[in-house]
């Protein structure tokens, strides 16, 4: 499945800057847009395609969703037999199967998600985290997206937005685990500051809206800083955006 982005309306630079100033007026959402599920999905960077190595049937009207007679544990075994590394994470509202595909020393990440009360329905997603807002005409606008270790978050809401309390996300991971996730991609679009426990991601023009006075400038990069910290005995990631 080719990744698509919901870009329904241009936003001016002032709107983006206002959003950055207050950050997370909207919320992050899990990726659910696109055509019906075809048994495969591309990673965040569009470089690797994961095809499910077992039988499934489509869920009509739901992107990325499928039905399987196999349990999540059985799907993990099938994926392991096909050469992938898998880990199951339990959330309060479901379970997630992390799938790691290694190619040329790079690791590409995917998740098979099983929500509570969904029976034998699953969804296959990449690890894209969206930041969006609703404009004054009630239009849904994706401002940018990043690769993020969703499996370390405490919760998910299947097929809809993830409410992260506006500025931060609780994670069940150490800073070293978060950093290791990005190191494994072998990309050069991030900087790890171990002393201050932060990671700065550079988001290129294909992953965020860059409309200034109605014109698209493709030479502007966005930076998203992931600040790791502990608050009330919870490990959290704060998101700080700069243009």
């Amino acid at each position: 499945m080719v990744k698509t982005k919901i870009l329904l309306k241009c936003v001016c630079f002032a709107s983006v800057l206002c959003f950055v100033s207050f950050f997370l007026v909207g919320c992050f959402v899990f990726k659910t847009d696109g055509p019906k599920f075809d048994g495969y999905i591309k990673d965040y960077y569009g470089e690797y395609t994961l095809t499910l190595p077992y039988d499934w049937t489509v869920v009509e009207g739901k992107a990325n969703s499928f039905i399987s007679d196999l349990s999540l544990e059985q799907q993990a075994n099938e994926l392991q037999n096909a050469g992938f590394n898998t880990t199951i994470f339990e959330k309060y509202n479901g379970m997630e199967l992390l799938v790691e595909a290694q190619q040329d020393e790079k690791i590409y990440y995917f998740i098979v998600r099983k929500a509570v009360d969904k029976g034998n329905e699953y969804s296959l997603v990449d690890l894209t985290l969206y930041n969006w807002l609703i404009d004054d005409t009630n239009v849904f606008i994706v401002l940018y997206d990043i690769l993020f270790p969703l499996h370390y978050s405490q919760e998910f809401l299947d097929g809809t937005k993830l409410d992260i309390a506006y500025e931060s996300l609780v994670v069940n991971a150490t800073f070293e685990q978060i950093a290791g996730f990005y190191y494994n991609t072998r990309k050069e679009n991030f900087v790890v500051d171990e002393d201050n426990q932060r990671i700065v991601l550079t988001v290129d023009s294909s992953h965020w809206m860059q409309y200034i006075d109605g014109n698209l400038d493709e030479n502007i990069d966005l930076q998203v800083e992931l600040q790791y910290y502990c608050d009330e005995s919870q490990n959290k990631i704060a998101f700080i955006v700069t243009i």
Side-chain angles (χ1 to χ4, degrees):
M1 181 185 72
V2 177
K3 177 166 21 181
T4 60
K5 297 169 69 71
I6 305 174
L7 301 178
L8 301 180
K9 183 178 179 182
C10 300
V11 292
C12 66
F13 180 71
S15 296
V16 175
L17 186 58
C18 178
F19 175 79
V20 171
S21 299
F22 291 98
F23 188 61
L24 286 175
V25 172
C27 300
F28 285 109
V29 295
F30 289 114
K31 175 182 174 183
T32 59
D33 59 294
K36 71 177 183 179
F37 183 67
D38 289 320
Y40 62 88
I41 190 173
K42 287 186 177 294
D43 76 289
Y44 173 83
Y45 294 104
E47 298 175 352
Y48 185 94
T49 301
L50 171 66
T51 301
L52 294 180
Y54 45 84
D55 294 334
W56 53 271
T57 56
V58 70
V59 178
E60 296 295 339
K62 290 187 178 181
N64 302 339
S65 297
F66 66 96
I67 293 174
S68 175
D69 292 331
L70 300 179
S71 67
L72 202 62
E73 292 80 4
Q74 291 171 324
Q75 292 180 56
N77 290 335
E78 292 292 332
L79 286 159
Q80 290 172 11
N81 292 336
F84 300 99
N85 292 324
T86 63
T87 308
I88 293 178
F89 293 83
E90 293 192 11
K91 310 293 180 77
Y92 86 89
N93 50 353
M95 300 176 68
E96 289 182 341
L97 171 62
L98 177 69
V99 183
E100 298 179 347
Q102 185 163 349
Q103 186 179 71
D104 299 328
E105 297 185 349
K106 298 179 182 178
I107 293 181
Y108 298 98
Y109 298 96
F110 306 88
I111 283 177
V112 178
R113 182 172 296 131
K114 175 70 167 63
V116 171
D117 299 327
K118 284 290 186 177
N120 59 350
E121 180 181 326
Y122 301 85
S123 57
L124 176 64
V125 298
D126 60 20
L127 277 75
T128 300
L129 200 55
Y130 288 111
N131 188 273
W132 59 274
L133 56 75
I134 302 294
D135 74 358
D136 54 7
T137 61
N138 204 34
V139 173
F140 176 83
I141 302 172
V142 173
L143 292 182
Y144 66 86
D145 61 64
I146 60 174
L147 177 69
F148 187 81
L150 299 177
H151 50 290
Y152 288 142
S153 67
Q154 277 197 338
E155 62 180 306
F156 71 83
L157 296 176
D158 190 43
T160 184
K161 68 182 181 182
L162 174 68
D163 184 349
I164 61 169
Y166 304 108
E167 294 182 352
S168 64
L169 179 68
V170 177
V171 293
N172 295 321
T174 65
F175 176 76
E176 289 72 21
Q177 288 174 308
I178 300 290
F181 170 85
Y182 289 102
Y183 279 131
N184 287 338
T185 66
R186 298 295 191 268
K187 295 293 181 180
E188 297 180 353
N189 60 346
F190 67 92
V191 176
V192 176
D193 180 353
E194 295 183 359
D195 292 336
N196 295 300
Q197 292 198 311
R198 65 183 178 183
I199 301 169
V200 180
L201 305 175
T202 298
V203 183
D204 66 28
S205 60
S206 66
H207 289 277
W208 79 285
M209 295 187 68
Q210 306 159 75
Y211 289 95
I212 299 177
D213 297 329
N215 298 312
L216 178 63
D217 186 340
E218 297 183 355
N219 298 314
I220 300 177
D221 286 333
L222 182 78
Q223 286 193 327
V224 180
E225 177 181 318
L226 312 181
Q227 180 63 63
Y228 185 89
Y229 68 103
C230 184
D231 180 33
E232 297 180 351
S233 300
Q234 291 182 317
N235 296 324
K236 295 184 178 181
I237 294 289
F239 300 86
I240 305 169
V241 181
T242 57
I243 299 177

